[in-house]
Amino acid sequence: MLISYSHQFIFFHVTKAAGTSVKAVLEPYAQQPEKFKINRPPRMLGEQINPLYEMWESSLWHAKARDMQKELSEEVYNNFYTGDPT
């Protein structure tokens, strides 16, 4: 998740929707709030794939719009472009 106060947008990374490419383009204009950073666990545990890595890779590392909505004031969230139809 990225947020830009100067450009008033919040980007939520959606799995399998070109999110990594979009994030790379937006990163110079935004920041990732520390609270929503989920560190990548190690891929391997010894000789086996770490099950936590598989969960992180599939969905855990994406902040949810509802989480950010709770964190920001309603006025700020509603005035930022999110692409969220609600």
Side-chain angles (χ1 to χ4, degrees), residues 33-62:
E34 285 295 321
K35 181 172 185 164
F36 292 102
K37 284 185 180 178
I38 300 173
N39 292 328
R40 180 187 303 222
R43 186 172 193 280
M44 301 297 287
L45 288 177
E47 299 290 319
Q48 297 183 348
I49 292 179
N50 182 350
L52 292 176
Y53 179 86
E54 289 180 324
M55 286 190 301
W56 178 89
E57 190 175 48
S58 65
S59 65
L60 280 180
W61 66 290
H62 303 300

Side-chain angles (χ1 to χ4, degrees), residues 15-36:
T15 305
K16 301 295 180 187
T20 303
S21 298
V22 174
K23 184 179 177 186
V25 170
L26 295 176
E27 277 182 319
Y29 309 101
Q31 62 193 30
Q32 185 175 13
E34 285 295 321
K35 181 172 185 164
F36 292 102

